[in-house]
Amino acid sequence: MKKNLIFPILLMVVACFSLQSFGQTVMPHSVPREFQSKQYTVEINGIPVEVFQASPRVHFVSFDFTDKVTVKVNGKIVREIGVPLPIRDEQVDGASVWEGGEAVIRPSSRNIKVETKGSTATFTLDKPGQYVLEGTNTNRVAIDNNDMVLFLFANQPETDTPQEADPNTIYLKAGTHFQNMDLKSGQTLYLEAGAVLYGGINIWDAHDVKILGRGVVYYNGPQSETHDNGVWHRKDWHPLTTENSERITVKGVTFVGKSRTWTLQMHSTFDTEFDNVKVLAVNDQNINGDGFDWQDGGGRSKVTNSLIRSSDDCFALFTAKKEKMETMVKDITIENCVLWPTRANIFRMSGYAENITMRNCDIIHVPYSLFEMPRALICTTNSVEQVSRVSNLLFENIRFEEPAALLGLQIPKGLFKNITFRNITMKGEPLPLYVDTHIDGLFFENVVLNGKKILSEKDLTFKVKTYDIKNLKFSK
């Protein structure tokens, strides 16, 4: 079923044309009526932009632009009544979403100043990227993470739009499309701005597949709300599932996971590129909504210029429980990303992995949790039986806006070799390290936690340290 969005499309054309005449281009992305938010009204250079409601407390606005734009956001509390998305009724209560505080933009490293007057926040953007607008009065409670938040996806104009008439292209126009989709070798799925694919995408036994555009994949499947079966590897069980595939490219698309399941699950998949991808796991249980998962072999993968707001780990690497090198996950690079796990960790690693690099990333929030230890940059599954071998991990130019633990390794039969932390900053008192595993090679280079540079083991606090760490080195 498709929704007729002629008027919003004409509005975008007029907006784009009028702003081009001033040497600028602004292309707001439309939102199908059933997903439109009443909680926020947004104007970009005076042009109204529709807001997408991903969940009762998570909303986003998306647009392409060049040069510089002034953004004005009015946010008022909305009480949802009726049945859940995508059909609902709402009532505006009128209170400011940041009442009692001011609005701020994250990542704070972007240094964007916000003028807050009542329920209105005004600021300027001059660079593309993903931004988070929220209030300074946020009260983050345990695992629920009921923050009222507006994501802003500010994109560069598209340069790789496929031809609609191309026989190898599946072209989804603005509107809602209710279906699951199986992509085959050589195919391109293009979701134009305003398109919502309400279902899952499967890429199995395929190569040279692309998923492009500014549209949204919205997945709300049949997973249990009381126990974890969202990890199952099967078709139509995740927003995106791959198996035995290679050369997969995903650019510009937003993935919303509404049910309790992992978001992008890759099994035995190689040579993947994810650029300007947005992942919002917003299931009501706020659990088991990983961002990116590599399973049972795979790698040579890049994730760049993306945002992950997961309901569990942002990234997870899982391989077979027995020692088979062919099931190793290796050669993963993550760069220029904004990360926010709402329940667990940045990385969870279990099994066999090597050559994992993360650089120039902002970790804007780290969760409070009922678990003994997540809240770590690197965490392992808590297992006394499993064997794990992980080597060559580099974390460079990482900025934490909230306290976390750098290590949460709970696997006595594990061996981690050559972990490097370089140019790391953290606001707030860091959580103690948890080391119940073997480490050979742990290097701290210009690591500053809560304003204190880590120059010796005396500067580290351990919650658990079962084994001595070999080759522990520090440098300025």
Side-chain angles (χ1 to χ4, degrees):
M1 184 175 82
K2 298 181 180 180
K3 301 294 182 182
N4 190 340
L5 295 174
I6 295 177
F7 178 75
I9 293 174
L10 288 175
L11 179 62
M12 290 191 299
V13 171
V14 171
C16 183
F17 177 79
S18 63
L19 290 172
Q20 280 180 329
S21 62
F22 293 95
Q24 295 176 314
T25 299
V26 176
M27 177 61 76
H29 300 165
S30 64
V31 177
R33 182 180 179 276
E34 59 267 36
F35 292 100
Q36 291 179 10
S37 170
K38 295 181 181 179
Q39 189 142 295
Y40 297 92
T41 56
V42 178
E43 293 183 358
I44 301 176
N45 285 2
I47 302 298
V49 181
E50 294 170 347
V51 180
F52 194 112
Q53 179 167 349
S55 76
R57 302 182 73 86
V58 176
H59 307 70
F60 68 87
V61 62
S62 183
F63 58 96
D64 294 357
F65 82 110
T66 60
D67 197 39
K68 180 186 295 187
V69 292
T70 298
V71 182
K72 181 179 290 186
V73 178
N74 186 278
K76 294 185 178 180
I77 298 294
V78 170
R79 179 167 57 89
E80 182 176 317
I81 57 178
V83 297
L85 284 167
I87 304 169
R88 64 177 184 276
D89 194 8
E90 294 171 324
Q91 176 175 306
V92 178
D93 286 354
S96 168
V97 297
W98 36 75
E99 189 171 5
E102 295 184 345
V104 295
I105 286 282
R106 302 186 192 279
S108 60
S109 64
R110 309 281 173 86
N111 296 314
I112 297 173
K113 296 181 179 180
V114 182
E115 180 183 355
T116 309
K117 291 185 177 180
S119 61
T120 301
T122 306
F123 51 93
T124 298
L125 301 178
D126 59 6
K127 293 180 181 179
Q130 293 87 33
Y131 303 88
V132 181
L133 179 67
E134 61 184 19
T136 56
N137 61 337
T138 296
N139 181 20
R140 193 163 291 108
V141 181
I143 61 175
D144 295 330
N145 221 320
N146 285 321
D147 300 349
M148 194 70 72
V149 62
L150 175 68
F151 292 90
L152 297 106
F153 302 146
N155 309 276
Q156 292 180 329
E158 294 183 80
T159 59
D160 51 2
T161 305
Q163 296 296 317
E164 186 175 352
D166 186 339
N168 291 319
T169 295
I170 302 171
Y171 198 107
L172 298 186
K173 292 182 175 293
T176 305
H177 308 260
F178 294 90
Q179 65 182 107
N180 295 310
M181 191 163 291
D182 293 282
L183 299 181
K184 303 183 184 305
S185 296
Q187 283 190 320
T188 295
L189 171 62
Y190 181 73
L191 296 93
E192 75 173 16
V196 176
L197 176 63
Y198 193 100
I201 301 173
N202 310 301
I203 305 175
W204 288 45
D205 302 309
H207 59 83
D208 299 289
V209 178
K210 295 181 179 180
I211 304 172
L212 308 174
R214 296 290 187 259
V216 177
V217 177
Y218 188 100
Y219 181 87
N220 191 7
Q223 289 76 16
S224 170
E225 295 184 0
T226 60
H227 63 275
D228 184 13
N229 59 13
V231 302
W232 289 350
H233 184 72
R234 55 174 63 175
K235 289 186 176 182
D236 307 332
W237 204 249
H238 309 275
L240 174 63
T241 314
T242 74
E243 178 175 296
N244 191 32
S245 297
E246 59 183 353
R247 297 190 295 279
I248 310 299
T249 301
V250 185
K251 290 187 178 181
V253 177
T254 300
F255 293 88
V256 177
K258 188 66 172 64
S259 56
R260 182 176 170 174
T261 187
W262 294 354
T263 308
L264 308 181
Q265 186 177 103
M266 293 166 281
H267 188 290
S268 56
T269 298
F270 293 87
D271 298 307
T272 55
E273 178 185 2
F274 298 88
D275 184 59
N276 189 25
V277 171
K278 285 76 70 170
V279 172
L280 300 176
V282 294
N283 62 77
D284 295 334
Q285 296 76 37
N286 195 38
I287 187 173
N288 301 125
D290 286 7
F292 288 73
D293 291 85
W294 290 268
Q295 282 190 308
D296 289 341
R300 300 194 299 272
S301 184
K302 293 184 67 175
V303 181
T304 58
N305 309 310
S306 296
L307 177 139
I308 296 92
R309 192 267 194 188
S310 58
S311 292
D312 209 314
D313 306 302
C314 289
F315 307 101
L317 287 68
F318 296 113
T319 57
K321 294 184 178 180
K322 53 187 177 180
E323 189 168 356
K324 287 186 177 180
M325 298 308 291
E326 64 266 30
T327 63
M328 177 178 288
V329 175
K330 60 182 179 180
D331 302 326
I332 308 293
T333 300
I334 297 160
E335 293 182 313
N336 307 324
C337 292
V338 180
L339 308 175
W340 177 0
T342 63
R343 184 178 175 98
N345 315 276
I346 307 304
F347 262 103
R348 188 182 293 269
M349 301 179 182
S350 177
Y352 298 84
E354 67 179 18
N355 303 335
I356 312 299
T357 298
M358 176 188 288
R359 61 167 59 94
N360 195 33
C361 291
D362 291 279
I363 300 170
I364 61 172
H365 291 306
V366 182
Y368 293 88
S369 174
L370 299 181
F371 292 131
E372 174 70 15
M373 172 65 69
R375 300 184 69 191
L377 178 55
I378 314 170
C379 186
T380 59
T381 302
N382 187 356
S383 173
V384 296
E385 296 298 330
Q386 187 169 338
V387 176
S388 189
R389 299 288 183 268
V390 179
S391 62
N392 301 333
L393 307 180
L394 171 61
F395 298 90
E396 183 175 33
N397 298 327
I398 309 298
R399 298 168 291 273
F400 286 84
E401 297 194 23
E402 291 183 351
L406 294 181
L407 297 174
L409 307 181
Q410 309 171 85
I411 187 161
K413 292 184 179 181
L415 173 60
F416 284 72
K417 298 183 68 174
N418 300 328
I419 304 174
T420 300
F421 298 115
R422 179 183 298 143
N423 301 331
I424 309 293
T425 59
M426 182 181 296
K427 296 179 181 178
E429 189 67 30
L431 275 66
L433 283 68
Y434 198 115
V435 179
D436 186 14
T437 195
H438 301 273
I439 298 179
D440 184 357
L442 179 59
F443 312 112
F444 292 82
E445 303 175 14
N446 189 31
V447 175
V448 181
L449 307 180
N450 198 25
K452 180 180 180 181
K453 183 165 288 191
I454 306 302
L455 297 175
S456 71
E457 188 171 356
K458 294 180 180 180
D459 298 323
L460 298 173
T461 302
F462 290 86
K463 182 179 181 65
V464 172
K465 186 185 177 189
T466 308
Y467 306 100
D468 288 334
I469 300 172
K470 297 180 180 179
N471 298 317
L472 176 60
K473 297 180 181 180
F474 303 85
S475 64
K476 297 181 180 182

